[in-house]
Amino acid sequence: MEFLLKNATLPDGRSNMDIACKGGLIVAVERGIDAEAKTVIDAAGQLVAPPFVDPHFHMDATLSLGNPRLNSSGTLLEGIALWGELKPVQTVDEIISRALRYCDLAVAMGIGAIRSHVDICDDELKGVEALLEVRRQVAPYLDLQLVAFPQDGVFRAPTAKQNLNRALDMGVDVVGGIPHFERSMADGAASVRYLCELAAARGLMVDMHCDESDDPMSRHVETLAQETTRLGLEGRVAGSHLTSMHSMDNYYVSKLIPLMAEAGLHAIPNPLINIMLQGRHDSYPKRRGQTRVPELRAAGINIGFGSDCMMDPWYSLGKADMLDVAHMGLHVGQLSSRDDMRWCFEAVTENSARIMGLEGYGLARGCKADMVLLQAADPIEAIRLRPARLAVIRGGKVIASAAPQVSKLALKGRPAVVNPADYAP
Ligand code: FE2
């Protein structure tokens, strides 16, 4: 064997499990594997999971915080305007350098796959050129999937249609959109139809920023579901954000959610950004702006939580921690039962892998030998603690590691060390 993990707890609760890997694949997941291996790690009962998957990110904008200035209102629209100021002055090399630096952190935090939108509303397609190069460079340690994203509106920006097709010709993987940002509701609906037809003709997946507003009448997700069904794209289309659903009329939603389920749409809320950017026109009470996660889940719709941003025009914080994302999604959605909390872990792992169509993902025999060992007893503890990634494994090799988190105490009559993981129920 090349790699053997001993005494691990799996996300499904099985304990004392060993995982043996060879040729970049998992060859056995059993108790008491007795084999020699080049690298052996004793998990000592801690949780091993398949890698975190971020189904929604903007890698062309990441780590640009403060450049050329900060977002003073904190709103989505000022963020878009600020990004519009940065786009013409940034270089391909700058985008590559920031993106690679982000990927270093993402890998250390146990992320194994990222779907990143890339803005195509720049006639030079600098972001596309940069992220295609980044995708090539990180391929040995990170799966990067790119979405052609018309940030300024595929109909609203004069050259966006042409640029979007050029980006897809260059090798961008997925068709994006932003219907709520087009000039009118009618244009928004037409953009959904245009983009879904384009994806169907090219055999590609679709992932749209859809209804990222508090406007209950922003109903482009309905058109997205309808077009998905009409074009036979079931299972290949995702609606990102869907924040207007938070504010919609309940009767309307009772019709909408079954349509979304019928279309096999995936939903991608971005809890950190949604709670930060939505409800900005409200006084009190302020809406939360996260889409209806429990109700979508109950309808059988696959949901993955995305991080969306880190230190960019829209969001100043973040550390590539998908457990921060799950933690926020859990709180905002009041997903507090044991089952709900375990599901939040799935929303940043297997559900998001399904959205991206990742092959060989999981901790079963025959899957890729990719996994992350956490300093936590189980998925709920992982969300509670957002702990150290003790080891990140890719293709059966350790590509990142961290020391366990422990604090020393200097209190008379109290323990010498304290570790939040020791407080597990
Ligand atoms: Fe986004």
Side-chain angles (χ1 to χ4, degrees):
M1 295 300 157
E2 282 153 14
F3 177 77
L4 181 59
L5 183 70
K6 302 284 292 177
N7 304 315
T9 299
L10 304 188
D12 63 13
R14 282 179 288 165
S15 58
N16 297 315
M17 299 300 291
D18 298 347
I19 302 179
C21 304
K22 196 176 168 184
L25 298 175
I26 294 172
V27 294
V29 182
E30 295 164 23
R31 289 202 171 93
I33 296 176
D34 187 19
E36 296 284 310
K38 267 189 238 163
T39 307
V40 180
I41 294 180
D42 182 1
Q46 318 234 49
L47 174 68
V48 67
F52 293 111
V53 177
D54 186 354
H56 188 115
F57 193 64
H58 294 264
M59 206 176 278
D60 49 358
T62 195
L63 303 181
S64 67
L65 182 68
N67 189 10
R69 62 180 174 84
L70 291 167
N71 181 337
S72 56
S73 68
T75 60
L76 172 66
L77 292 181
E78 186 178 341
I80 294 174
L82 211 167
W83 173 235
E85 293 169 34
L86 178 58
K87 268 194 279 188
V89 296
Q90 64 180 353
T91 67
V92 172
D93 286 345
E94 283 165 359
I95 303 169
I96 291 175
S97 155
R98 291 199 315 253
L100 287 174
R101 193 151 173 259
Y102 178 79
C103 291
D104 296 340
L105 179 62
V107 165
M109 298 304 281
I111 294 178
I114 299 173
R115 172 181 279 184
S116 174
H117 295 253
V118 51
D119 188 356
I120 53 81
C121 290
D122 149 35
D123 291 341
E124 294 176 69
L125 293 181
K126 285 185 282 192
V128 173
E129 186 186 335
L131 292 195
L132 286 170
E133 174 58 20
V134 171
R135 186 178 70 180
R136 192 188 66 76
Q137 288 192 32
V138 302
Y141 52 87
L142 186 69
D143 297 313
L144 178 57
Q145 191 177 70
L146 300 177
V147 185
F149 175 47
Q151 171 76 75
D152 301 329
V154 73
F155 290 165
R156 190 166 163 174
T159 52
K161 268 195 214 166
Q162 193 188 331
N163 291 350
L164 194 131
N165 277 285
R166 277 169 60 209
L168 297 174
D169 289 342
M170 287 164 74
V172 170
D173 309 278
V174 180
V175 176
I178 185 163
H180 56 278
F181 196 70
E182 303 291 349
R183 281 206 175 81
S184 64
M185 287 292 176
D187 270 8
S191 80
V192 173
R193 278 192 285 277
Y194 170 77
L195 292 162
C196 286
E197 282 173 4
L198 185 65
R202 286 178 175 261
L204 299 175
M205 292 187 281
V206 175
D207 186 341
M208 280 190 205
H209 284 66
C210 196
D211 304 319
E212 187 182 4
S213 83
D214 297 311
D215 174 6
M217 299 309 288
S218 186
R219 296 174 167 187
H220 297 298
V221 63
E222 178 188 273
T223 309
L224 187 63
Q226 185 189 28
E227 288 304 294
T228 300
T229 305
R230 181 175 74 86
L231 296 164
L233 294 173
E234 290 93 341
R236 288 162 50 191
V237 177
S240 278
H241 294 296
L242 306 174
T243 52
S244 74
M245 286 185 71
H246 187 93
S247 300
M248 281 175 183
D249 173 71
N250 288 336
Y251 186 89
Y252 174 71
V253 171
S254 74
K255 177 195 168 202
L256 175 65
I257 290 183
L259 284 179
M260 293 169 67
E262 184 187 303
L265 282 193
H266 303 282
I268 309 176
N270 295 287
L272 294 168
I273 305 314
N274 297 156
I275 198 71
M276 184 63 99
L277 296 182
Q278 300 306 311
R280 291 272 175 163
H281 291 66
D282 294 351
S283 55
Y284 289 94
K286 278 184 195 288
R287 284 168 286 182
R288 299 173 183 211
Q290 181 164 287
T291 195
R292 302 191 187 204
V293 172
E295 293 77 11
L296 290 167
R297 182 185 169 211
I301 291 167
N302 183 46
I303 304 168
F305 287 146
S307 73
D308 204 5
C309 299
M310 173 177 161
M311 301 176 77
D312 69 7
W314 296 276
Y315 188 62
S316 312
L317 306 176
K319 58 181 171 75
D321 190 344
M322 294 310 294
L323 290 170
D324 278 348
V325 174
H327 190 260
M328 183 60 79
L330 183 157
H331 282 81
V332 176
Q334 298 181 327
L335 298 159
S336 54
S337 74
R338 306 299 287 176
D339 175 64
D340 284 342
M341 291 194 283
R342 274 190 291 271
W343 176 86
C344 287
F345 191 84
E346 292 170 17
V348 291
T349 52
E350 60 189 84
N351 295 3
S352 293
R354 206 173 307 136
I355 291 171
M356 287 183 65
L358 297 180
E359 285 173 14
Y361 180 88
L363 292 182
R365 189 164 174 248
C367 291
K368 289 182 181 167
D370 302 343
M371 61 199 87
V372 54
L373 179 63
L374 296 149
Q375 189 191 1
D378 60 41
I380 296 173
E381 280 291 289
I383 293 174
R384 181 177 74 87
L385 298 164
R386 286 149 286 143
R389 278 61 170 169
L390 300 173
V392 179
I393 317 299
R394 174 92 172 187
K397 294 188 174 65
V398 178
I399 58 167
S401 59
Q405 209 182 339
V406 177
S407 298
K408 289 182 186 168
L409 267 190
L411 299 175
K412 205 174 170 196
R414 301 306 304 156
V417 294
V418 64
N419 173 0
D422 291 340
Y423 291 73

